[in-house]
Amino acid sequence: MAAEEGEVRLIGAWPSPFVLRPRVALNLKWVEYEFLQEKFGEKSELLLRSNPVYKKIPVLLHHDKPVCESMIIVEYVDGAWANSGHAILPADTYERALHRFWAFYIDDKWFPSMFGIAKAETEEAKAESAEQAWAGLKLLEEAFEKLSKGKAFFGGDTIGYVDIALGSYLGWAKVIERMTGLKLFDEEKTPLLAVWAGRFCAHEAVKEVMPETEKLME
Amino acid sequence: MGEVDTKGVVLLDFWVSPFGQRCRIALAEKGVEYEFREENLGDKSPLLLKSNPVHKKIPVLIHDGKPVCESLIIVQYIDEAWPDCAPLLPADPYARAQARFWADFIDKKIYECGTRLWKLKGEGQAAAKEELIGILKLLEGELGDKKYFGGDAFGFVDIALVPFVSWFYTYETCAGFSIEEAAPKLVAWGKRCMERESVAKTLSDPHKVYEFVGLLKKRFGVE
């Protein structure tokens, strides 16, 4: 669905996993948008005006009205373009609650442990963070089994809310794997997620916007 | 989440928890009958551990054996599971996004800042106090001259924030300031919310909250 000129704009930066989320959502809905790349180290006037509370990316501007916070933007895109593409959140009320729960868990608990591996200053700290990250992925593996019902994604046949929440971190997960030699999405520890990770990155709505590991490493 | 063997609607909760109170208010607004089960947080029930194995925390709403966790997720679930009366979120996607943004802001900021305010002393406490005043002023700005955060209808953001109104007395007394002075419109909003039965019957007495925090302070060795 082509948007009118200037109707949909996304303020962001290509390396950010949080920015990736609305990009995947907009792609899933076939929405054309203008991507406004922020300059590194400098926040634009538009960003500061559109997100005065946090001054952070991503910010979606729809007819110049700002929506902030990545998963809130994803849910907004799902609602505003409900008649386009596939539903991102499931129709069933209880399943929706489960998707919201796991997306929150991913940001609140799992991401800090993954990031902890990168930040760790000692081998012990690194190992501890890695253990926490793997334990979290074990929980997510079980969640995947339950939510996917044997299909390709957390959302079933199509990419859903939790896919976007977790999948957006895959670029950085690969960087951490390269830097540390640790395998996060390990076929032995979490076989379903290991396959899912490749599938997510290869998806049409994702592959053009997922940052390349090489570029992130620079 | 482990599915369990209960029927109807059960809320696992703790009397003074503002997070649990959000759920109680939402259920009351919808007129849903439910069983309230008070948890002993020092000795969590097998039902709590089974229904929220990831966090082992209250509140947990169990609807016909299926547990829902995280207070704001529970409130949204309640809104969607009982859609025929008292909508808690607006219909318009943009208005919904704004409501979610502010509820999320409240969730990220108030409890954590408030906790620092009563746990710390000296500079740490002074910093927490200034931060809390800033947060409340920002919320007051968002409220503006509206009756509720959602406009004329009591809704999601009001529910997210209102349980903390009974903690205002504790914050004021611990850090020596007046929230009425800092954010008078917000205090007025709190009073308007208290006129609703769902809120009046749910919120803890501010003095009981203060006593409760006093016990926590003793446990944490704060003086």
Side-chain angles (χ1 to χ4, degrees):
Chain A
M1 175 193 297
E4 285 155 27
E5 190 130 350
E7 179 180 311
V8 186
R9 296 181 291 163
L10 182 71
I11 310 176
W14 66 266
S16 161
F18 305 104
V19 170
L20 185 64
R21 292 163 168 183
R23 297 188 86 174
V24 171
L26 289 162
N27 287 349
L28 286 170
K29 295 291 190 176
W30 305 101
V31 177
E32 280 180 24
Y33 64 97
E34 191 188 345
F35 185 66
L36 302 172
Q37 167 78 32
E38 284 284 298
K39 275 206 206 102
F40 184 73
E42 202 186 298
K43 294 185 188 202
S44 70
E45 255 306 305
L46 183 62
L47 173 61
L48 297 176
R49 241 185 314 135
S50 312
N51 190 358
V53 175
Y54 298 116
K55 306 176 176 46
K56 281 181 172 178
I57 49 160
V59 179
L60 182 80
L61 293 164
H62 189 193
H63 296 301
D64 296 324
K65 294 200 294 191
V67 184
C68 308
E69 293 300 294
S70 61
M71 293 315 288
I72 293 179
I73 299 174
V74 169
E75 194 154 3
Y76 172 75
V77 169
D78 199 28
W81 285 278
N83 297 323
S84 180
H86 295 288
I88 295 172
L89 271 159
D92 178 73
T93 304
Y94 184 65
E95 276 184 37
R96 263 213 292 289
L98 290 178
H99 272 258
R100 288 186 178 127
F101 174 87
W102 287 111
F104 180 69
Y105 170 82
I106 287 161
D107 276 348
D108 186 49
K109 299 272 185 269
W110 188 75
F111 171 62
S113 62
M114 183 189 79
F115 196 54
I117 301 172
K119 276 196 312 190
E121 293 185 355
T122 64
E123 282 305 307
E124 286 96 37
K126 192 161 62 167
E128 205 183 303
S129 285
E131 284 305 325
Q132 277 172 16
W134 280 319
L137 285 175
K138 271 230 154 79
L139 290 178
L140 288 164
E141 174 96 350
E142 281 167 32
F144 180 81
E145 206 169 344
K146 182 169 184 181
L147 292 175
S148 67
K149 301 188 188 86
K151 305 236 173 113
F153 298 104
F154 285 92
D157 284 318
T158 55
I159 286 182
Y161 197 69
V162 179
D163 298 284
I164 293 176
L166 186 60
S168 59
Y169 288 120
L170 286 170
W172 283 100
K174 286 189 191 151
V175 170
I176 289 173
E177 286 178 340
R178 281 261 191 107
M179 274 169 40
T180 61
L182 293 166
K183 201 144 200 335
L184 274 172
F185 286 83
D186 189 332
E187 300 86 21
E188 278 174 30
K189 292 189 164 79
T190 51
L192 296 175
L193 286 183
V195 174
W196 164 86
R199 207 183 280 138
F200 182 84
C201 292
H203 193 281
E204 248 180 5
V206 177
K207 61 183 189 213
E208 299 295 325
V209 291
M210 175 67 78
E212 287 163 31
T213 316
E214 301 304 332
K215 290 222 173 99
L216 286 175
M217 304 258 329
E218 277 165 27
Chain B
M1 263 139 289
E3 295 200 6
V4 291
D5 207 3
T6 56
K7 294 273 178 294
V9 183
V10 177
L11 182 69
L12 305 181
D13 201 345
F14 182 63
W15 69 278
V16 75
S17 161
F19 306 101
Q21 287 171 357
R22 290 167 168 173
C23 309
R24 284 176 248 165
I25 292 170
L27 288 163
E29 287 284 323
K30 295 284 189 176
V32 175
E33 281 190 22
Y34 67 98
E35 185 194 337
F36 177 89
R37 289 202 200 173
E38 175 83 3
E39 282 284 326
N40 174 354
L41 297 182
D43 183 17
K44 295 178 180 180
S45 73
L47 182 60
L48 174 56
L49 299 176
K50 183 156 194 236
S51 53
N52 191 358
V54 175
H55 303 295
K56 306 177 176 49
K57 281 181 168 180
I58 56 95
V60 180
L61 183 83
I62 311 177
H63 188 192
D64 290 330
K66 294 193 202 168
V68 184
C69 308
E70 295 299 317
S71 62
L72 292 181
I73 295 176
I74 295 172
V75 173
Q76 287 180 85
Y77 174 82
I78 291 169
D79 196 36
E80 292 166 14
W82 288 277
D84 295 333
C85 74
L88 303 177
L89 274 141
D92 170 66
Y94 187 74
R96 292 167 87 84
Q98 294 310 300
R100 289 193 170 109
F101 175 87
W102 286 107
D104 176 66
F105 173 81
I106 288 159
D107 230 20
K108 283 202 219 335
K109 302 281 183 188
I110 298 211
Y111 187 72
E112 192 275 329
C113 185
T115 300
R116 266 185 290 131
L117 194 148
W118 64 254
K119 254 194 186 169
L120 303 175
K121 290 272 148 206
E123 268 174 41
Q125 186 181 64
K129 179 180 84 176
E130 287 314 310
E131 227 180 286
L132 188 67
I133 290 175
I135 292 164
L136 295 176
K137 279 183 148 53
L138 195 60
L139 287 168
E140 197 181 47
E142 176 55 25
L143 175 68
D145 290 314
K146 302 195 295 270
K147 184 174 184 193
Y148 298 116
F149 280 90
D152 287 324
F154 180 77
F156 194 56
V157 181
D158 305 283
I159 292 175
L161 183 60
V162 82
F164 292 104
V165 168
S166 45
W167 290 67
F168 284 179
Y169 173 71
T170 299
Y171 299 148
E172 289 170 319
T173 312
C174 288
F177 72 114
S178 161
I179 292 181
E180 174 115 39
E181 256 174 52
K185 279 186 172 167
L186 207 61
V187 171
W189 161 86
K191 292 193 174 128
R192 278 198 296 280
C193 291
M194 282 294 278
E195 288 168 13
R196 302 182 77 82
E197 199 178 334
S198 63
V199 177
K201 286 200 160 155
T202 298
L203 260 48
S204 301
D205 177 319
H207 288 91
K208 292 226 162 84
V209 173
Y210 184 70
E211 260 171 48
F212 174 75
V213 171
L215 290 175
L216 287 181
K217 278 166 106 164
K218 277 211 183 83
R219 201 189 306 163
F220 286 107
V222 183
E223 193 13 72

